[in-house]
Amino acid sequence: MDTLLPILKTSDYRKDEKLQFKEFLFNDAIAPVVAYGKDSGNAMVYEGAADESDLYARFPDIKKEALANLKAIDVPYQITEAEGTNVLFAEGHEYASEKILDKAYMIKIAADLKCDTLMVGIPFKGVLMAIDSNSDMRLKLPVIVKQYFENPQQDPISDKVFLVQNGEVVAMGGEKLPENESDDNFVISENKAQNYGIELKSKNVEELVADVNTSFKQVMLMILQRKSFGGEITFKLSSAIPLDQALINKCNSIIEQIEKNEMLQTISQALASSKVQFKFLHDGNLIAPTTASKIAQSESIQESKPAAPKLEQETKKVIADTSEKIKTVADKKQKLGITKKSKPWWKFWASEEQDSPEMIKAAEEKAKLDELKSSTQKDFDKSDHNKFMPK
């Protein structure tokens, strides 16, 4: 009897066939594709829709049935210790990789690994590997997954790693990612000293205020979650935003207002033993904080109209909104007694859905991996990577 099931394919699978029942595992063109077809035992049969209306009408039921059938499949796994980290492998089963789509299965894996968030690799068909996303091996797993993808034992699926929270894929990353063409307006990175850099794509002062608001909230949520902070946050502006006096004034104004926030400084004093230090760079050059005399002496900067009163109000709102959200999260964490391990050296694309209060928790979860860029190849010896795969 034919059984409807999801099948993971590479990101370019039937990319020009618009009426196939398929979707991306994660909302990105470089993510693997989840195709839905019937397993007849000897072959997979993929049915297409007659037109767009037929596709939209039938797809929800097809997906629901396929995932229910996947859930009914028992895929065993084993946990192996490697370099002090528990590594979970599900292998040897035809649908091992697809179990990343099984929410209950992934929740069970997380429970067995005694963690809240998983980093998962599905390099080729029949293999799923997972670790605690806080573990020391989090920097090596992207390298391992990429190597298995490039030397697959079965049909390749993806060289990316996936962050799984509460059984669902919330982010995607990898050893080397291409430039993301999404509409996200900032990228956050953390260095080994646990200081944060925020690359802003703002094209004008109005966008800058909004982007600083969103990215700063996300960074502070990360600091609260990880309970580790080097004390410095640097906003990096590109040449896309014109450098003029209004921009310099705005950046200095934002820094001044943030520095006056006692609660934020208290958090920094507790974690970094220092006040939060902020900097704004434009095309790599420091533009804030600056003194009035330094600004006046800058001959290369063209004068422009002062920032509108509305922007001043918006800047104040940045600080007020951020403080309120952070206070809420901090109070909740204190009541629950939540502690998190430090996770330095992540780099990811940030979520654009973080302005509403109900999205704060989601932002905290997605911030861990929304585009992991690991440059740890030099720290990993390719010749011994097979030791992580059970014999």
Side-chain angles (χ1 to χ4, degrees):
M1 180 178 178
D2 293 346
T3 304
L4 186 62
L5 286 162
I7 305 294
L8 288 169
K9 300 286 188 179
T10 53
S11 59
D12 59 352
Y13 176 75
R14 297 190 179 187
K15 62 180 180 180
D16 296 325
E17 298 182 27
K18 306 301 183 184
L19 298 179
Q20 290 292 317
F21 293 106
K22 58 184 175 65
E23 61 184 341
F24 287 116
L25 172 63
F26 188 71
N27 189 26
D28 196 301
I30 61 174
V33 169
V34 184
Y36 296 90
K38 293 182 178 180
D39 186 346
S40 62
N42 296 322
M44 289 296 301
V45 179
Y46 298 98
E47 180 183 358
D51 51 39
E52 286 190 3
S53 297
D54 184 43
L55 178 69
Y56 296 142
R58 295 171 56 197
F59 188 80
D61 288 339
I62 285 177
K63 180 177 179 178
K64 182 178 180 181
E65 180 182 345
L67 293 180
N69 291 335
L70 176 67
K71 185 176 181 179
I73 297 175
D74 180 30
V75 176
Y77 56 81
Q78 59 180 303
I79 297 177
T80 303
E81 184 177 338
E83 297 186 2
T85 295
N86 287 330
V87 184
L88 183 144
F89 288 92
E91 58 171 339
H93 193 288
E94 184 178 4
Y95 289 97
S97 302
E98 281 75 15
K99 292 299 272 187
I100 193 174
L101 301 165
D102 184 346
K103 182 175 181 178
Y105 187 85
M106 300 310 293
I107 289 175
K108 185 176 186 299
I109 283 179
D112 286 351
L113 287 175
K114 297 179 175 60
C115 65
D116 297 324
T117 308
L118 297 168
M119 184 185 285
V120 180
I122 44 174
F124 56 80
K125 189 166 182 60
V127 168
L128 179 148
M129 56 185 74
I131 61 172
D132 179 352
S133 65
N134 287 324
S135 72
D136 292 338
M137 197 179 288
R138 68 186 180 277
L139 300 179
K140 292 184 177 180
L141 187 64
V143 181
I144 297 168
V145 169
K146 186 174 186 294
Q147 290 169 354
Y148 279 124
F149 174 78
E150 293 174 346
N151 300 279
Q153 298 174 21
Q154 298 291 335
D155 293 342
I157 295 176
S158 178
D159 62 347
K160 307 299 182 286
V161 293
F162 302 90
L163 191 74
V164 177
Q165 175 79 38
N166 296 325
E168 297 181 349
V169 175
V170 296
M172 177 184 70
E175 184 200 8
K176 294 180 181 178
L177 292 177
E179 286 298 317
N180 192 305
E181 297 180 355
S182 73
D183 293 328
D184 292 336
N185 289 328
F186 57 88
V187 180
I188 302 174
S189 61
E190 181 187 3
N191 65 20
K192 292 181 179 179
Q194 298 174 339
N195 293 317
Y196 290 86
I198 304 172
E199 298 179 24
L200 299 173
K201 301 180 182 179
S202 318
K203 297 181 178 62
N204 52 55
V205 175
E206 288 86 350
E207 288 184 5
L208 174 67
V209 171
D211 295 341
V212 168
N213 184 5
T214 306
S215 62
F216 180 55
K217 281 190 291 187
Q218 182 142 325
V219 166
M220 293 309 297
L221 286 169
M222 291 169 58
I223 291 170
L224 283 171
Q225 181 190 38
R226 299 178 182 183
K227 296 197 183 333
S228 60
F229 181 41
E232 296 181 6
I233 298 176
T234 302
F235 295 96
K236 304 175 182 179
L237 284 61
S238 72
S239 56
I241 184 170
L243 178 59
D244 55 24
Q245 195 63 56
L247 177 63
I248 292 179
N249 291 343
K250 176 55 62 179
C251 293
N252 277 286
S253 174
I254 291 174
I255 291 177
E256 182 181 355
Q257 292 180 63
I258 295 177
E259 288 181 341
K260 290 180 180 178
N261 188 286
E262 294 183 3
M263 188 190 69
L264 301 186
Q265 296 296 355
T266 299
I267 292 172
S268 182
Q269 288 280 9
L271 298 178
S273 300
S274 66
K275 290 185 176 181
V276 185
Q277 301 295 319
F278 296 93
K279 290 189 294 185
F280 277 84
L281 305 181
H282 183 278
D283 208 16
N285 298 313
L286 179 68
I287 63 171
T290 54
T291 63
S293 59
K294 287 182 179 179
I295 295 174
Q297 293 170 3
S298 178
E299 298 179 357
S300 62
I301 299 170
Q302 299 298 320
E303 289 289 339
S304 65
K305 294 181 180 179
K310 180 182 177 182
L311 290 180
E312 295 298 333
Q313 295 174 4
E314 289 176 347
T315 304
K316 293 178 181 179
K317 188 174 184 298
V318 167
I319 310 304
D321 288 351
T322 302
S323 300
E324 185 60 31
K325 298 290 174 57
I326 292 173
K327 185 177 186 300
T328 301
V329 175
D331 291 345
K332 183 177 180 181
K333 286 180 176 292
Q334 187 174 15
K335 291 178 181 178
L336 296 177
I338 297 176
T339 58
K340 294 285 185 181
K341 299 177 183 177
S342 170
K343 295 180 291 182
W345 205 231
W346 286 99
K347 191 167 185 179
F348 50 83
W349 289 89
S351 168
E352 59 185 37
E353 299 177 339
Q354 298 158 31
D355 287 330
S356 59
E358 61 270 18
M359 291 303 296
I360 293 302
K361 185 175 185 298
E364 193 174 8
E365 295 167 351
K366 288 189 71 175
K368 298 170 188 173
L369 192 65
D370 270 349
E371 200 160 309
L372 172 65
K373 285 187 178 178
S374 173
S375 56
T376 59
Q377 187 71 45
K378 62 184 179 181
D379 298 324
F380 181 71
D381 182 357
K382 290 184 178 181
S383 64
D384 66 355
H385 75 273
N386 282 316
K387 70 182 180 182
F388 295 106
M389 180 67 84
K391 303 297 182 183

